[in-house]
Amino acid sequence: MCPSYTSRPMHPCWRMLMMVSALIPTSGLIHKESSKPMEILDLLADNSSTAGGWNFCANQWEECVCHGRVRWGYGRTWKVIDPPLHSSSLTVMCSIKHLQDVLPGESQKHCQCQGQVMSKHSFSSESTAFTEGGISKIALKDSDWIFCSNQWQECQCNNHVRWGKGERWKYLSPKKLGSLFSVKCDVNALGDPVPGEDGKHCECLVARGSLFERELNPMLLSQKAADSYGARIIASCDIFEAGKANGPEGRAQWQAVEPFCSKAWEEKAEADRSLHSGPRRLSLGSLQKLMQARVDARFETNYLKLVDEDGWFDKAFVNYFAGAPGSKHANMTEQLIRSVHMFSENPIVVLHLGSRAPDTWTPKRFPRLLLVHAAPMGADSHRSFNFNKLRSFLISRARVGVELDSDQFVGPGVDYMFEMTEKEIDEHYSLPIMPVHFYSFTQADTPQNVWWQRYCPDPPACKPHTMRWSHAHPTWTFWSLPFIGRWLRRHFRDELLLATANHAASLAVSQIPEDEDLLNVATWEERGTKQWCKFDNDYHEFVDMLSWTPQDGHHTTTGDIASDPKFYPHGAAKAFFTAHNCKDPIATAKMLDEIQSRWENGLYPPSTITYKGQFWESGDDLRKAYPELPCIF
Ligand SMILES: *[C@@H]1O[C@H](CO)[C@@H](O)[C@H](O)[C@H]1NC(C)=O
Ligand SMILES: *[C@@H]1O[C@H](CO)[C@@H](O)[C@H](O)[C@H]1NC(C)=O
């Protein structure tokens, strides 16, 4: 059940991970609000005021109007600009376009004026005033607090950071303004300014027009700023509505997202008892925002290359992720992207929900990567981060999709998943298909879970519990999108599944805590019958593939997925198309290199489908030998 990523450490294996995950040391980089705000004043005073008669005039990308000389730069590096002859004042645009880039890569470059600053932004009289937890007005001027990370994630910032929610914040100030640092945003590292609140997050103070702002997730910026930085909108209610006439996929897409988009739909729904929304619903405005995404400006050419004229991928892996550059999650995701470029012919869409994505991900290095930015769910959504998984299916528009979590990688043979998905999911069977879980979670294991009253009113028979627990690594086609939309909508509108002849108890969908739970419940509710055999095996099990030699032939010591009396009396087959639980990016990188080298040298099993101690050349071969096997390959 350990999901790849969560905003709350709900599961014990996550709690473990949280404890062992490498934290970027924060002590020394920040000091707490309570400890002397004088440090900031000193730093700012040094370079911003009076020494040599220089006064701060304008930030980068702004105009400085100065009665006297202007200098442009930062710290010890300055370019001085004299006023023209016969004039004592000077107007300059403080940008690398108009002045030269005296300090490449330095986002704190600004203009100072030796004399009287003429612009209305003069603040010299305010330079000692503090607001917002001891941060000077100088720092707050022409800057915005911008979402940086959810709780349990790392925030990367080059300026002041605040942690909390609404009106209650703890302010943190870096020792050195202008250089990047990371801070882990959780109660252990930063204390608890709003006890009991799950919407706590970090925000970073970002100067408007700064280089730092330019590198942020454009969905966190104003529309104008995002547009000016070249990040085009590729998903929105308008785009989806306009596309509804474009074939069955356009129709399915609009059917899936209409409730997230349409006022008319909402009004109609409120007149229908089965569609009533509850008190935990997200507003229509929030739902509309969830459908929006922009392509990373650097990946525009990849986008044009990878999608058709209607904006659809034929086939794509889809991942969703947040995590500061250099963090464990970013590094894990990078290995995932790398593995797709090693072992697949297909593209991967990474839906980024954090504030900054690594700038080392480039279209040159990853020609089949599409980096797409979306805004995180609001602090008041009270939904697990992992529901972004379903959101990523709606945004990415893949005709055939294979979901990958950040703690996965793909191996040789993985593209078979697209073939199988296309074959199994169509107009007549439209549910997404997930692999069987290695652990068979039943009512007897977790009797408290809210859904058992509905799916197991009759233990131990549990008639409405129609399929073994699946692992939340779904594959889908566009035919599945209405299902995805329907269940995300039910969760986000806090709808109630009413009791029926088949289902004795009603169920409040928003009480279902995680994506995996929801996908399982949804599959039972809609009487799904198809399940993949286990194509997403634990990272550690790949050791069995790496010890294979041609002499072993069809023989393998890899065991099967454990049996259960109701669904899999003889266990289930595996294939090593993807790995999960890859929490150590350095070890993953090494393993990928080794798989590649063995694969290229004939020292890796030609097919990794295993069952009953044997490798099977294809799914068909396996089925011929075991026609009763409940899962599909
Ligand atoms: C101000 O300039 C001094 C040297 O002139 C430098 O050491 C210091 O780091 C600068 N202040 C900031 C905020 O970087
Ligand atoms: C992530 O990778 C970068 C670059 O290889 C490295 O500097 C950094 O320490 C890694 N971070 C973690 C948490 O492993």
Side-chain angles (χ1 to χ4, degrees):
M1 279 256 256
C2 197
S4 78
Y5 196 99
T6 178
S7 55
R8 287 173 290 166
M10 301 206 38
H11 195 269
C13 54
W14 259 98
R15 265 175 230 127
M16 282 284 293
L17 177 65
M18 294 297 166
M19 284 189 280
V20 299
S21 77
L23 305 185
I24 294 190
T26 55
S27 55
L29 286 171
I30 54 165
H31 67 86
K32 303 269 162 67
E33 175 195 9
S34 51
S35 74
K36 36 184 174 21
M38 274 313 288
E39 268 181 62
I40 311 159
L41 178 63
D42 292 347
L43 282 174
L44 289 167
D46 263 1
N47 299 332
S48 308
S49 24
T50 53
W54 290 102
N55 294 306
F56 175 88
C57 188
N59 282 316
Q60 181 161 213
W61 312 112
E62 288 172 357
E63 209 170 66
C64 162
V65 187
C66 167
H67 191 82
R69 295 202 299 173
V70 170
R71 66 178 187 178
W72 154 249
Y74 182 64
R76 290 185 184 281
T77 308
W78 299 96
K79 176 190 171 85
V80 176
I81 304 119
D82 283 313
L85 218 59
H86 311 301
S87 170
S88 52
S89 73
L90 181 59
T91 303
V92 283
M93 185 62 191
C94 300
S95 76
I96 52 175
K97 259 201 204 143
H98 296 85
L99 307 172
Q100 132 213 19
D101 194 357
V102 286
L103 279 171
E106 172 57 70
S107 63
Q108 293 288 305
K109 285 190 288 280
H110 62 279
C111 281
Q112 297 186 349
C113 166
Q114 197 174 38
Q116 182 65 44
V117 177
M118 310 286 283
S119 89
K120 58 185 190 304
H121 297 308
S122 172
F123 55 80
S124 49
S125 61
E126 298 163 350
S127 60
T128 55
F130 288 103
T131 59
E132 309 214 15
I135 297 170
S136 75
K137 281 217 174 119
I138 301 171
L140 293 169
K141 185 177 164 290
D142 294 326
S143 297
D144 303 296
W145 288 108
I146 292 186
F147 171 88
C148 194
S149 87
N150 281 317
Q151 182 157 211
W152 310 112
Q153 299 171 354
E154 275 164 16
C155 158
Q156 192 180 61
C157 180
N158 67 347
N159 202 338
H160 305 282
V161 170
R162 65 181 188 181
W163 154 247
K165 196 195 153 208
E167 301 295 309
R168 296 167 72 185
W169 298 98
K170 175 160 197 165
Y171 291 85
L172 314 157
S173 300
K175 279 250 167 68
K176 187 175 179 307
L177 288 169
S179 42
L180 287 174
F181 63 95
S182 292
V183 53
K184 181 103 177 172
C185 298
D186 66 36
V187 291
N188 304 328
L190 302 180
D192 197 347
V194 202
E197 170 59 59
D198 71 354
K200 282 192 288 283
H201 58 281
C202 279
E203 296 185 348
C204 170
L205 188 63
V206 177
R208 258 165 256 154
S210 62
L211 195 63
F212 185 85
E213 184 190 65
R214 185 177 281 260
E215 290 172 350
L216 288 179
N217 177 341
M219 291 304 299
L220 299 172
L221 308 179
S222 71
Q223 220 164 309
K224 193 162 153 249
D227 287 342
S228 76
Y229 296 154
R232 192 151 63 96
I233 296 183
I234 57 160
S236 71
C237 285
D238 289 346
I239 289 175
F240 298 150
E241 186 163 17
K244 71 182 173 190
N246 297 342
E249 54 272 69
R251 207 159 49 236
Q253 175 74 23
W254 179 244
Q255 197 186 332
V257 302
E258 189 178 4
F260 295 77
C261 292
S262 158
K263 184 84 197 144
W265 187 94
E266 192 183 50
E267 281 164 7
K268 228 171 62 200
E270 285 310 315
D272 179 341
R273 185 164 162 263
S274 69
L275 293 174
H276 275 189
S277 60
R280 294 188 74 226
R281 71 175 163 264
L282 308 187
S283 69
L284 183 62
S286 309
L287 296 178
Q288 287 168 341
K289 280 203 195 100
L290 294 181
M291 293 299 111
Q292 293 169 6
R294 290 179 186 258
V295 62
D296 188 286
R298 295 175 303 146
F299 284 83
E300 175 73 22
T301 47
N302 276 13
Y303 180 68
L304 295 174
K305 200 171 64 189
L306 297 170
V307 303
D308 68 13
E309 55 191 8
D310 295 330
W312 284 81
F313 288 90
D314 255 337
K315 301 185 174 76
F317 295 106
V318 177
N319 163 266
Y320 63 106
F321 122 99
S327 71
K328 199 164 177 150
H329 269 98
N331 289 9
M332 280 158 49
T333 309
E334 179 167 321
Q335 290 309 318
L336 170 68
I337 297 166
R338 203 176 144 238
S339 73
V340 166
H341 285 78
M342 287 165 121
F343 300 118
S344 168
E345 307 266 296
N346 289 301
I348 177 167
V349 180
V350 171
L351 187 71
H352 172 237
L353 301 139
S355 85
R356 288 163 66 82
D359 57 8
T360 51
W361 298 358
T362 61
K364 186 152 179 256
R365 190 167 164 220
F366 297 128
R368 278 181 283 117
L369 167 62
L370 189 73
L371 181 59
V372 177
H373 301 279
M377 291 186 262
D380 283 320
S381 68
H382 306 296
R383 298 300 196 281
S384 160
F385 178 84
N386 291 313
F387 288 110
N388 286 309
K389 181 181 292 187
L390 279 71
R391 205 182 147 197
S392 71
F393 304 169
L394 298 179
I395 284 177
S396 57
R397 286 191 290 169
R399 287 197 183 84
V400 188
V402 173
E403 191 272 339
L404 293 170
D405 289 343
S406 285
D407 73 339
Q408 285 187 268
F409 68 67
V410 307
V414 66
D415 284 341
Y416 183 49
M417 292 310 303
F418 289 101
E419 255 176 70
M420 286 201 293
T421 299
E422 209 166 5
K423 205 163 83 187
E424 299 292 343
I425 307 178
D426 57 17
E427 198 170 357
H428 308 291
Y429 189 93
S430 61
L431 274 63
I433 306 181
M434 295 186 283
V436 58
H437 203 285
F438 56 83
Y439 191 76
S440 142
F441 293 95
T442 64
Q443 189 269 352
D445 299 311
T446 55
Q448 289 88 356
N449 283 346
V450 291
W451 50 82
W452 291 127
Q453 287 173 355
R454 187 173 179 88
Y455 303 101
C456 184
D458 54 341
C462 307
K463 274 214 199 92
H465 177 200
T466 55
M467 189 187 284
R468 174 155 154 169
W469 192 265
S470 299
H471 215 134
H473 296 144
T475 79
W476 71 98
T477 69
F478 67 84
W479 295 109
S480 321
L481 293 174
F483 171 99
I484 302 290
R486 180 157 64 242
W487 285 93
L488 194 62
R489 178 204 87 207
R490 284 180 174 150
H491 202 284
F492 284 7
R493 290 184 75 246
D494 189 14
E495 292 176 21
L496 195 66
L497 298 178
L498 302 171
T500 65
N502 286 330
H503 298 114
S506 63
L507 174 61
V509 180
S510 74
Q511 299 299 317
I512 300 171
E514 282 288 346
D515 61 321
E516 184 161 287
D517 310 324
L518 181 68
L519 286 165
N520 275 286
V521 163
T523 304
W524 301 333
E525 180 76 21
E526 302 211 6
R527 313 223 135 231
T529 54
K530 295 188 179 184
Q531 192 166 44
W532 300 129
C533 298
K534 192 104 186 89
F535 66 81
D536 48 338
N537 291 296
D538 190 280
Y539 164 84
H540 297 98
E541 294 182 66
F542 271 69
V543 171
D544 287 350
M545 299 299 112
L546 293 173
S547 62
W548 181 86
T549 66
Q551 288 92 308
D552 295 332
H554 284 301
H555 178 75
T556 177
T557 53
T558 294
D560 299 330
I561 292 296
S563 64
D564 68 83
K566 183 168 172 180
F567 302 107
Y568 287 86
H570 307 291
K574 291 179 184 170
F576 289 74
F577 296 146
T578 77
H580 78 99
N581 193 26
C582 316
K583 308 286 199 233
D584 177 350
I586 294 172
T588 300
K590 278 195 197 131
M591 185 176 275
L592 288 173
D593 290 340
E594 191 175 349
I595 293 174
Q596 188 176 42
S597 137
R598 296 182 73 97
W599 175 247
E600 282 167 1
N601 292 301
L603 294 172
Y604 196 79
S607 163
T608 60
I609 301 174
T610 66
Y611 190 52
K612 302 285 173 210
Q614 225 184 293
F615 284 108
W616 300 87
E617 266 168 42
S618 67
D620 284 345
D621 278 2
L622 174 64
R623 181 140 309 274
K624 262 180 224 141
Y626 294 97
E628 269 87 60
L629 189 62
C631 61
I632 311 170
F633 264 155

Short mmCIF file of all heavy atoms in Angstrom, two decimals, residues 264-289:
data_model
loop_
_atom_site.label_atom_id
_atom_site.label_comp_id
_atom_site.label_asym_id
_atom_site.label_seq_id
_atom_site.Cartn_x
_atom_site.Cartn_y
_atom_site.Cartn_z
N ALA A 264 -23.23 25.03 -15.57
CA ALA A 264 -24.51 24.41 -15.95
C ALA A 264 -24.58 22.97 -15.44
O ALA A 264 -25.61 22.54 -14.92
CB ALA A 264 -24.67 24.44 -17.47
N TRP A 265 -23.46 22.26 -15.53
CA TRP A 265 -23.44 20.89 -15.02
C TRP A 265 -23.72 20.89 -13.52
O TRP A 265 -24.51 20.09 -13.01
CB TRP A 265 -22.08 20.23 -15.29
CG TRP A 265 -22.09 18.76 -14.94
CD1 TRP A 265 -22.34 17.72 -15.78
CD2 TRP A 265 -21.88 18.19 -13.63
NE1 TRP A 265 -22.31 16.53 -15.09
CE2 TRP A 265 -22.03 16.79 -13.77
CE3 TRP A 265 -21.60 18.71 -12.36
CZ2 TRP A 265 -21.90 15.91 -12.69
CZ3 TRP A 265 -21.48 17.84 -11.28
CH2 TRP A 265 -21.62 16.45 -11.45
N GLU A 266 -23.08 21.82 -12.83
CA GLU A 266 -23.24 21.87 -11.37
C GLU A 266 -24.68 22.14 -10.98
O GLU A 266 -25.21 21.52 -10.05
CB GLU A 266 -22.32 22.96 -10.80
CG GLU A 266 -22.21 22.90 -9.30
CD GLU A 266 -21.36 24.01 -8.73
OE1 GLU A 266 -21.61 25.18 -9.08
OE2 GLU A 266 -20.46 23.72 -7.93
N GLU A 267 -25.32 23.06 -11.69
CA GLU A 267 -26.70 23.39 -11.35
C GLU A 267 -27.62 22.19 -11.59
O GLU A 267 -28.51 21.91 -10.78
CB GLU A 267 -27.16 24.60 -12.18
CG GLU A 267 -26.62 25.90 -11.57
CD GLU A 267 -26.70 27.08 -12.53
OE1 GLU A 267 -27.29 26.94 -13.64
OE2 GLU A 267 -26.16 28.14 -12.17
N LYS A 268 -27.35 21.48 -12.67
CA LYS A 268 -28.15 20.30 -12.96
C LYS A 268 -27.93 19.23 -11.88
O LYS A 268 -28.87 18.58 -11.43
CB LYS A 268 -27.75 19.74 -14.34
CG LYS A 268 -28.94 19.44 -15.23
CD LYS A 268 -28.52 19.08 -16.66
CE LYS A 268 -27.68 17.84 -16.74
NZ LYS A 268 -26.90 17.73 -17.99
N ALA A 269 -26.68 19.11 -11.45
CA ALA A 269 -26.34 18.08 -10.46
C ALA A 269 -27.06 18.31 -9.15
O ALA A 269 -27.48 17.37 -8.48
CB ALA A 269 -24.83 18.06 -10.25
N GLU A 270 -27.20 19.57 -8.77
CA GLU A 270 -27.82 19.84 -7.47
C GLU A 270 -29.30 19.46 -7.46
O GLU A 270 -29.91 19.34 -6.41
CB GLU A 270 -27.60 21.29 -7.05
CG GLU A 270 -26.17 21.58 -6.57
CD GLU A 270 -25.63 20.58 -5.51
OE1 GLU A 270 -26.37 20.26 -4.55
OE2 GLU A 270 -24.49 20.12 -5.66
N ALA A 271 -29.87 19.28 -8.65
CA ALA A 271 -31.27 18.86 -8.71
C ALA A 271 -31.40 17.33 -8.71
O ALA A 271 -32.49 16.79 -8.71
CB ALA A 271 -31.92 19.43 -9.97
N ASP A 272 -30.25 16.65 -8.69
CA ASP A 272 -30.25 15.18 -8.79
C ASP A 272 -29.70 14.62 -7.47
O ASP A 272 -28.57 14.89 -7.09
CB ASP A 272 -29.34 14.80 -9.98
CG ASP A 272 -29.24 13.29 -10.17
OD1 ASP A 272 -29.55 12.54 -9.22
OD2 ASP A 272 -28.85 12.89 -11.27
N ARG A 273 -30.52 13.84 -6.79
CA ARG A 273 -30.16 13.38 -5.46
C ARG A 273 -28.83 12.60 -5.45
O ARG A 273 -28.03 12.71 -4.54
CB ARG A 273 -31.30 12.51 -4.90
CG ARG A 273 -31.08 12.08 -3.47
CD ARG A 273 -32.37 11.56 -2.84
NE ARG A 273 -32.02 10.78 -1.65
CZ ARG A 273 -31.93 9.45 -1.65
NH1 ARG A 273 -32.16 8.77 -2.74
NH2 ARG A 273 -31.61 8.81 -0.53
N SER A 274 -28.60 11.82 -6.52
CA SER A 274 -27.40 10.99 -6.53
C SER A 274 -26.13 11.80 -6.80
O SER A 274 -25.03 11.28 -6.71
CB SER A 274 -27.55 9.89 -7.58
OG SER A 274 -27.52 10.47 -8.87
N LEU A 275 -26.28 13.08 -7.13
CA LEU A 275 -25.11 13.91 -7.42
C LEU A 275 -24.90 15.03 -6.40
O LEU A 275 -24.07 15.90 -6.61
CB LEU A 275 -25.23 14.52 -8.83
CG LEU A 275 -25.18 13.54 -10.01
CD1 LEU A 275 -25.46 14.27 -11.31
CD2 LEU A 275 -23.84 12.84 -10.08
N HIS A 276 -25.65 14.99 -5.32
CA HIS A 276 -25.50 16.04 -4.31
C HIS A 276 -24.07 16.12 -3.80
O HIS A 276 -23.43 15.09 -3.61
CB HIS A 276 -26.45 15.78 -3.14
CG HIS A 276 -27.82 16.31 -3.37
ND1 HIS A 276 -28.77 16.35 -2.39
CD2 HIS A 276 -28.39 16.84 -4.48
CE1 HIS A 276 -29.89 16.87 -2.88
NE2 HIS A 276 -29.67 17.17 -4.15
N SER A 277 -23.60 17.33 -3.56
CA SER A 277 -22.26 17.48 -3.01
C SER A 277 -22.35 17.75 -1.51
O SER A 277 -23.36 18.28 -1.04
CB SER A 277 -21.53 18.61 -3.71
OG SER A 277 -22.23 19.82 -3.52
N GLY A 278 -21.32 17.37 -0.78
CA GLY A 278 -21.32 17.49 0.67
C GLY A 278 -20.48 18.65 1.15
O GLY A 278 -19.91 19.40 0.35
N PRO A 279 -20.35 18.79 2.47
CA PRO A 279 -19.64 19.94 3.04
C PRO A 279 -18.13 19.93 2.77
O PRO A 279 -17.50 20.98 2.88
CB PRO A 279 -19.93 19.81 4.55
CG PRO A 279 -20.32 18.38 4.76
CD PRO A 279 -20.98 17.93 3.49
N ARG A 280 -17.56 18.81 2.40
CA ARG A 280 -16.12 18.80 2.12
C ARG A 280 -15.81 19.06 0.65
O ARG A 280 -14.72 18.81 0.17
CB ARG A 280 -15.51 17.45 2.53
CG ARG A 280 -15.56 17.18 4.03
CD ARG A 280 -14.75 15.92 4.38
NE ARG A 280 -13.32 16.16 4.30
CZ ARG A 280 -12.45 15.33 3.71
NH1 ARG A 280 -12.88 14.24 3.11
NH2 ARG A 280 -11.16 15.61 3.69
N ARG A 281 -16.79 19.53 -0.08
CA ARG A 281 -16.57 19.72 -1.52
C ARG A 281 -15.59 20.87 -1.78
O ARG A 281 -15.48 21.81 -0.99
CB ARG A 281 -17.89 20.03 -2.22
CG ARG A 281 -18.40 21.41 -1.89
CD ARG A 281 -19.65 21.81 -2.64
NE ARG A 281 -20.24 22.95 -1.95
CZ ARG A 281 -21.22 22.86 -1.08
NH1 ARG A 281 -21.74 21.68 -0.80
NH2 ARG A 281 -21.68 23.92 -0.46
N LEU A 282 -14.92 20.80 -2.92
CA LEU A 282 -14.13 21.92 -3.41
C LEU A 282 -15.05 22.76 -4.30
O LEU A 282 -15.92 22.22 -4.97
CB LEU A 282 -12.92 21.43 -4.21
CG LEU A 282 -12.01 20.39 -3.55
CD1 LEU A 282 -10.77 20.17 -4.41
CD2 LEU A 282 -11.59 20.84 -2.17
N SER A 283 -14.83 24.05 -4.32
CA SER A 283 -15.69 24.92 -5.11
C SER A 283 -15.44 24.70 -6.60
O SER A 283 -14.39 24.19 -7.00
CB SER A 283 -15.38 26.38 -4.77
OG SER A 283 -14.09 26.69 -5.25
N LEU A 284 -16.40 25.10 -7.41
CA LEU A 284 -16.25 24.96 -8.86
C LEU A 284 -15.00 25.72 -9.33
O LEU A 284 -14.26 25.23 -10.19
CB LEU A 284 -17.49 25.48 -9.58
CG LEU A 284 -17.47 25.32 -11.10
CD1 LEU A 284 -17.39 23.86 -11.53
CD2 LEU A 284 -18.69 25.99 -11.75
N GLY A 285 -14.78 26.90 -8.74
CA GLY A 285 -13.58 27.66 -9.12
C GLY A 285 -12.30 26.86 -8.87
O GLY A 285 -11.39 26.85 -9.70
N SER A 286 -12.22 26.17 -7.73
CA SER A 286 -11.03 25.35 -7.44
C SER A 286 -10.93 24.19 -8.43
O SER A 286 -9.84 23.85 -8.88
CB SER A 286 -11.09 24.75 -6.03
OG SER A 286 -11.35 25.75 -5.10
N LEU A 287 -12.07 23.58 -8.74
CA LEU A 287 -12.05 22.44 -9.66
C LEU A 287 -11.58 22.89 -11.05
O LEU A 287 -10.81 22.18 -11.71
CB LEU A 287 -13.44 21.81 -9.76
CG LEU A 287 -13.99 21.18 -8.47
CD1 LEU A 287 -15.39 20.63 -8.71
CD2 LEU A 287 -13.08 20.07 -7.97
N GLN A 288 -12.01 24.06 -11.47
CA GLN A 288 -11.58 24.56 -12.78
C GLN A 288 -10.06 24.74 -12.81
O GLN A 288 -9.40 24.39 -13.78
CB GLN A 288 -12.27 25.89 -13.09
CG GLN A 288 -13.74 25.71 -13.45
CD GLN A 288 -14.53 27.01 -13.48
OE1 GLN A 288 -14.11 28.01 -12.92
NE2 GLN A 288 -15.68 26.98 -14.14
N LYS A 289 -9.52 25.26 -11.71
CA LYS A 289 -8.06 25.46 -11.65
C LYS A 289 -7.31 24.13 -11.75
O LYS A 289 -6.21 24.07 -12.30
CB LYS A 289 -7.67 26.15 -10.35
CG LYS A 289 -7.90 27.64 -10.40
CD LYS A 289 -7.02 28.36 -9.37
CE LYS A 289 -7.53 29.78 -9.18
NZ LYS A 289 -8.37 29.95 -7.98
#
